[in-house]
Amino acid sequence: MSNITTNIKGIRDIMRKDTGVDGDAQRISQMVWMLFMKIFADKEEEWEITIDNYESPIPEHLKWQNWAADDEGLTGDALMDFIETELFPALKELDITISPQAKIIRSVFDDTYNFMKNGTLFRQVINVINEIDFNSTNERHVFNDIYETILKDLQSAGSSGEYYTPRAVTQFMVDMINPQLGESVLDPACGTGGFLTCTIDGVRNQVKTPKDRDILQKSIRGIEKKPLPHLLCTTNLMLHGFDLPVVRRDNLLSKPYADWGAKDKLDIILSNPPFGGVEEDGTETNFPKKFRTKETADLFLALIIKLLKDKGRCAIVLPDGTLFGEGMKTRLKEELLDKCNLHTIVRLPNGVFNPYTGIKTNLLFFEKGTPTKEVWYFEHPYPEGVKSYNKGKPINIEEFNAEKAWWNNREENTQAWKVSIEEIKKRGYNLDIKNPHQETDTLESPEVLFKKNRITEKKISSIQDKFINVLSESLKNKQLLKHFKELTIISENARELKGLFLKLAVKGELTTNWRVENSEIQSASKYLEQLKGEKDNLIKEKKIRREKPLSKIKKEELINLPKKWEMVRLGEIGDWGAGSTPLRSNSSFYDGEINWFKSGELNNGIIDFESKEKITDLAIQKSSVRLNKPGDVLIAMYGATIGKTAILNVKGTTNQAVCACTPFSCISSSYLHILLKALRDTFINQGEGGAQPNISRVKIRNQAFALPPLEEQKAIVQKVNTLMDLCDRLEQEVQQSKEHSEQLMQSCLREVFEPNNMV
């Protein structure tokens, strides 16, 4: 798995260097159309064997294997000219009548664009992609998991209310609907295909023959109106073994409601329609007057009720607003309860869709054909010790075990209760019914939340004032300082501060006043003079080896130095050595007691834990592995981890992807750690190679930097640690303020619609 993970991260790192690719959305779009071409090429190899007289719809010279497969093939300007003037124009105009495959290619490239401008970087990306064999079941399975993370990276709240549906939620919904082979399944707003791929995975164990396989491929369909999600979904289904994914670029809401007939009816609909999204003017006129609205999710719910067959099943994600909303929403809920059996509503807690939105959501399960007599509610609890979900700790499928155990043996308990249709009608079809087994509603009153929010805002302001006080000596008259409070109220901007402080620190701009107050300290040049004797002794004692002399600092490397600082190279301030991998075939080298760290274990902090894999004393004796001691500083040299660093607090060795430094007396380990973190972007830009871009020990040693006196290094470390702590506190309080604001809005709405349920 690690090789493919490294490949994908390598592609991203290469694309970041291309000036034509701006932001994650363009980077992912670029990556995925290129992956699609490679996947399609690998599929064609398979089709030539499995499909009689198969003919490719792609002209011979435009096939991936004829312009991309040779790693020394087209590159530079010639490659970019080919992409822009031959490949894209031809694929966008491909005759869709040639074959079903031609139709898929045309639909993918109709609204796909090439953003990369640098042909050399483009060639590097191609060469990385060529290392993945999509006909290998093992590699395809691994890539599916990685593709899931690519999709997560794309998602963010947008004007159409699109959010990434957590895999655990889609999996649970599919598990409860339990699709069977031969049943028609549709996601009418399929996005990147999460519900479809979960369905494929669930039904695949029912496939026993080639005929079953054809039935499966023809029964699962998706509709997506936007080009990038459509491309992602098509590729996603191909990765899941679908030769001809039925994913159409369309908007089902644009077709008149009355035009849907018996042939359009479906067995199963699974969807998370864009809630909060608004449709184009005039779209609502396709629907009966009683259902007219511009809100996307409501229109989809009306359409889903229409499209289900008798006994057809649906699972859908809807926000609280649909449950308690009035007007058109009331008429829509009346239609739902009259024509379908809304048997279950799973109420999800706050934060399931964090960080994209804090809106509370619900999973509605219903079957068409009989009216609702009662609705069962199940309130999904947070796991013990969890107060909210976030991107690092999302909801997981095991949490739904309680619902699954209860599903077919329903009894009321502290999480589950039922409400009769008569009670719902009395409430004016308000489905936002609280758990009667809880003494109070957990949503506090607007007054309480206003008070909490004011307290949080005061904390934020206090932290911001501390930042401003520190920054005033280094950012005088800069716009960041003038508008600091407005800029850092956004959590993403608060996170950016850490990188800023590191860069200011190693330029001496956080210790301007400190230098004035401590002018008597020894200069860095004095420490460097003392260092010569220290190094000579270490070489004589054979504790370090004699290195080739480093080149003198060049004129273009010089910067304006603070007083008593000195320009040096990293190789001058410590003993640097890369690790290695003992011979894998010799089992006596492994499963020992000595830590053997890899680049993925570097955490940009302190390593005070044991490595995942360990080696033996014999491995150290018989190989070139370097034994590092506490206080040594590590830096990663390969792949996406380039420049990640950590301070060792335990004895340990490393593999060849990590370089270690034992600092000499002129530099503290903590300051070197800060310096390397500040230089990470520099090291990333120096990375070379395709599949695994890397920096060498030689490049690291030759990196020039400004060395402060040892006393000032310690002052910088203390100040940076204080600032990093403030950054963490600010980000935490800003996130808390965001959550308070979202709860406050919900509380104010609740006060309007349910004044008796306030805490």
Side-chain angles (χ1 to χ4, degrees):
M1 180 167 182
S2 58
N3 286 340
I4 297 178
T5 304
T6 303
N7 288 347
I8 297 303
K9 288 179 178 177
I11 291 170
R12 285 174 171 163
D13 290 341
I14 295 166
M15 286 185 178
R16 285 191 178 99
K17 300 176 187 177
D18 194 296
T19 57
V21 185
D22 184 14
D24 282 341
Q26 288 189 7
R27 193 153 39 244
I28 290 170
S29 176
Q30 179 80 30
M31 187 193 314
V32 175
W33 80 251
M34 295 175 74
L35 286 168
F36 173 86
M37 289 292 290
K38 175 63 163 65
I39 292 165
F40 194 88
D42 287 355
K43 277 283 183 187
E44 287 203 303
E45 289 182 10
E46 180 185 317
W47 293 332
E48 285 172 1
I49 299 169
T50 59
I51 300 176
D52 291 339
N53 303 315
Y54 173 75
E55 289 188 21
S56 173
I58 302 178
E60 197 65 27
H61 72 293
L62 300 181
K63 290 181 179 179
W64 178 271
Q65 57 267 37
N66 292 328
W67 64 270
D70 180 0
D71 60 8
E72 295 184 1
L74 275 176
T75 189
D77 291 342
L79 176 57
M80 298 318 299
D81 186 60
F82 168 78
I83 298 295
E84 298 292 348
T85 64
E86 294 187 57
L87 182 70
F88 263 71
L91 297 183
K92 284 176 179 288
E93 296 297 325
L94 205 60
D95 183 356
I96 61 173
T97 64
I98 297 174
S99 67
Q101 287 83 3
K103 193 172 182 180
I104 289 173
I105 295 168
R106 175 73 176 270
S107 71
V108 162
F109 280 91
D110 264 343
D111 287 293
T112 297
Y113 302 93
N114 175 62
F115 296 105
M116 291 189 74
K117 303 298 179 190
N118 185 308
T120 304
L121 294 175
F122 197 107
R123 166 50 64 184
Q124 291 177 22
V125 172
I126 290 171
N127 291 348
V128 177
I129 291 173
N130 277 326
E131 295 178 11
I132 306 171
D133 178 7
F134 291 104
N135 279 334
S136 161
T137 304
N138 198 35
E139 290 206 8
R140 192 166 63 229
H141 175 73
V142 169
F143 190 80
N144 283 341
D145 292 337
I146 297 167
Y147 195 79
E148 187 81 15
T149 67
I150 295 173
L151 303 186
K152 282 184 185 177
D153 289 344
L154 174 69
Q155 308 302 320
S156 60
S159 59
S160 296
E162 292 144 319
Y163 310 111
Y164 177 79
T165 310
R167 178 60 183 261
V169 174
T170 58
Q171 185 67 60
F172 169 68
M173 292 168 71
V174 171
D175 288 349
M176 294 303 93
I177 289 293
N178 192 24
Q180 298 298 301
L181 182 65
E183 288 188 310
S184 53
V185 180
L186 173 73
D187 183 347
C190 66
T192 55
F195 285 108
L196 304 181
T197 55
C198 276
T199 301
I200 293 166
D201 292 339
V203 178
R204 185 169 275 140
N205 62 0
Q206 302 172 32
V207 173
K208 308 297 182 186
T209 66
K211 184 179 179 181
D212 289 346
R213 185 171 178 269
D214 290 341
I215 290 170
L216 175 62
Q217 296 210 21
K218 289 174 182 175
S219 63
I220 296 177
R221 289 175 280 166
I223 308 291
E224 174 52 47
K225 71 176 182 178
K226 293 193 173 182
L228 178 53
H230 173 262
L231 164 63
L232 291 162
C233 183
T234 301
T235 308
N236 206 359
L237 263 63
M238 291 187 78
L239 284 167
H240 279 74
F242 269 41
D243 294 340
L244 301 169
V246 185
V247 183
R248 196 167 83 240
R249 272 283 314 283
D250 201 356
N251 181 4
L252 292 192
L253 302 180
S254 62
K255 180 175 177 177
Y257 183 89
D259 289 357
W260 296 102
K263 63 178 174 46
D264 303 307
K265 302 282 184 175
L266 297 143
D267 294 304
I268 294 170
I269 296 178
L270 294 151
S271 194
N272 175 14
F275 45 87
V278 176
E279 288 301 303
E280 297 174 5
D281 289 343
T283 302
E284 71 275 14
T285 60
N286 292 314
F287 287 77
K289 285 185 179 180
K290 64 178 180 178
F291 298 145
R292 286 184 185 174
T293 176
K294 287 189 177 180
E295 190 161 332
T296 304
D298 289 343
L299 290 175
F300 268 115
L301 180 55
L303 181 59
I304 286 167
I305 297 168
K306 171 86 169 174
L307 289 178
L308 282 174
K309 289 179 180 178
D310 190 44
K311 297 187 183 299
R313 312 188 299 286
C314 175
I316 185 171
V317 183
L318 290 172
D320 272 8
T322 299
L323 269 57
F324 64 70
E326 297 182 329
M328 175 269 171
K329 293 181 190 292
T330 298
R331 296 190 294 274
L332 182 57
K333 287 178 283 188
E334 188 175 359
E335 174 88 354
L336 173 62
L337 295 167
D338 184 50
K339 292 193 173 178
C340 303
N341 177 20
L342 175 62
H343 53 81
T344 312
I345 297 178
V346 176
R347 310 216 66 175
L348 298 177
N350 274 327
V352 170
F353 285 83
N354 276 344
Y356 316 117
T357 177
I359 295 172
K360 286 190 72 174
T361 51
N362 307 271
L363 311 180
L364 277 65
F365 296 84
F366 54 89
E367 182 176 307
K368 190 173 177 181
T370 55
T372 302
K373 292 181 179 178
E374 62 186 18
V375 178
W376 277 94
Y377 288 80
F378 193 102
E379 186 165 56
H380 185 89
Y382 288 119
E384 189 174 345
V386 174
K387 294 182 179 178
S388 185
Y389 299 107
N390 55 51
K391 202 171 184 179
K393 293 183 178 178
I395 191 169
N396 66 70
I397 188 62
E398 286 77 19
E399 290 179 42
F400 287 102
N401 287 343
E403 284 94 329
K404 290 181 176 182
W406 165 86
W407 200 265
N408 292 320
N409 299 284
R410 300 191 175 194
E411 291 183 0
E412 292 206 22
N413 57 47
T414 55
Q415 303 303 135
W417 67 101
K418 64 181 174 181
V419 182
S420 69
I421 188 63
E422 290 77 21
E423 175 64 21
I424 291 169
K425 287 179 179 178
K426 281 181 191 175
R427 297 170 56 88
Y429 291 93
N430 185 344
L431 295 172
D432 186 21
I433 300 172
K434 300 302 160 230
N435 187 343
H437 305 299
Q438 289 185 350
E439 290 184 8
T440 58
D441 192 326
T442 56
L443 187 61
E444 294 168 305
S445 68
E447 291 77 15
V448 172
L449 288 168
F450 268 123
K451 187 176 179 180
K452 283 188 173 182
N453 206 34
R454 280 194 293 271
I455 292 170
T456 302
E457 286 174 351
K458 284 181 181 178
K459 289 181 182 178
I460 291 171
S461 183
S462 173
I463 295 169
Q464 290 171 325
D465 287 338
K466 290 176 182 176
F467 276 128
I468 290 170
N469 184 48
V470 172
L471 292 172
S472 59
E473 64 178 286
S474 56
L475 294 177
K476 290 176 183 176
N477 303 318
K478 296 291 194 296
Q479 291 298 313
L480 175 61
L481 193 61
K482 288 180 181 179
H483 302 288
F484 188 83
K485 290 198 171 185
E486 299 98 307
L487 290 169
T488 55
I489 197 64
I490 302 168
S491 56
E492 289 79 5
N493 290 348
R495 284 195 289 273
E496 291 290 328
L497 287 174
K498 289 187 176 182
L500 168 69
F501 292 142
L502 290 172
K503 288 178 171 63
L504 291 174
V506 299
K507 291 169 67 178
E509 295 189 16
L510 296 181
T511 44
T512 305
N513 294 341
W514 185 93
R515 281 193 296 276
V516 174
E517 296 166 2
N518 297 272
S519 57
E520 75 289 348
I521 62 168
Q522 181 174 286
S523 68
S525 60
K526 293 290 184 184
Y527 282 103
L528 290 172
E529 288 173 12
Q530 296 167 15
L531 176 64
K532 291 176 183 176
E534 181 184 345
K535 285 174 71 173
D536 287 342
N537 287 335
L538 289 169
I539 291 168
K540 283 179 184 177
E541 295 169 6
K542 296 186 178 181
K543 290 183 178 178
I544 64 172
R545 63 186 178 186
R546 189 179 299 278
E547 300 272 8
K548 285 177 60 177
L550 294 163
S551 60
K552 291 183 179 180
I553 301 294
K554 300 173 185 174
K555 187 176 180 181
E556 59 267 23
E557 293 176 307
L558 293 171
I559 61 170
N560 291 326
L561 291 174
K563 284 185 179 180
K564 300 194 176 182
W565 287 42
E566 198 73 27
M567 285 298 295
V568 295
R569 298 196 185 279
L570 283 173
E572 297 177 64
I573 52 83
D575 176 43
W576 295 84
S580 68
T581 298
L583 195 65
R584 281 288 187 184
S585 59
N586 192 332
S587 59
S588 63
F589 288 170
Y590 291 90
D591 297 323
E593 299 296 324
I594 299 169
N595 290 311
W596 187 56
F597 294 102
K598 302 172 188 175
S599 59
E601 294 173 271
L602 271 59
N603 58 3
N604 275 336
I606 291 178
I607 292 181
D608 54 5
F609 48 86
E610 294 188 347
S611 60
K612 293 176 183 176
E613 193 171 4
K614 293 187 175 184
I615 59 173
T616 62
D617 286 314
L618 185 64
I620 291 180
Q621 295 168 22
K622 299 291 185 180
S623 66
S624 58
V625 177
R626 164 185 164 127
L627 183 60
N628 305 301
K629 60 182 184 295
D632 286 2
V633 182
L634 310 182
I635 180 171
M637 300 190 293
Y638 287 8
T641 59
I642 283 181
K644 285 194 79 171
T645 181
I647 301 176
L648 264 183
N649 220 16
V650 294
K651 281 186 179 180
T653 60
T654 71
N655 70 359
Q656 66 274 15
V658 179
C659 190
C661 175
T662 303
F664 296 143
S665 59
C666 65
I667 190 166
S668 80
S669 296
S670 297
Y671 182 77
L672 177 58
H673 182 227
I674 287 170
L675 174 68
L676 293 178
K677 285 199 285 188
L679 288 171
R680 189 179 184 198
D681 287 344
T682 301
F683 291 133
I684 288 172
N685 290 332
Q686 290 177 358
E688 295 178 341
Q692 254 196 344
N694 64 85
I695 51 169
S696 64
R697 171 181 168 275
V698 172
K699 279 190 176 180
I700 294 171
R701 292 186 73 251
N702 274 290
Q703 179 61 47
F705 75 99
L707 176 70
L710 188 59
E711 291 87 345
E712 190 168 352
Q713 291 174 33
K714 294 173 182 177
I716 290 170
V717 169
Q718 187 175 5
K719 185 155 282 192
V720 167
N721 288 342
T722 300
L723 289 169
M724 294 301 157
D725 180 58
L726 283 173
C727 284
D728 290 337
R729 286 169 55 195
L730 178 62
E731 187 178 349
Q732 182 180 348
E733 295 299 340
V734 167
Q735 182 61 34
Q736 185 71 63
S737 177
K738 180 182 176 184
E739 289 175 9
H740 283 160
S741 297
E742 289 169 347
Q743 291 169 13
L744 184 56
M745 174 58 75
Q746 292 176 29
S747 184
C748 289
L749 290 171
R750 182 70 51 77
E751 186 182 47
V752 173
F753 294 107
E754 275 189 69
N756 295 328
N757 277 342
M758 303 310 302
V759 176

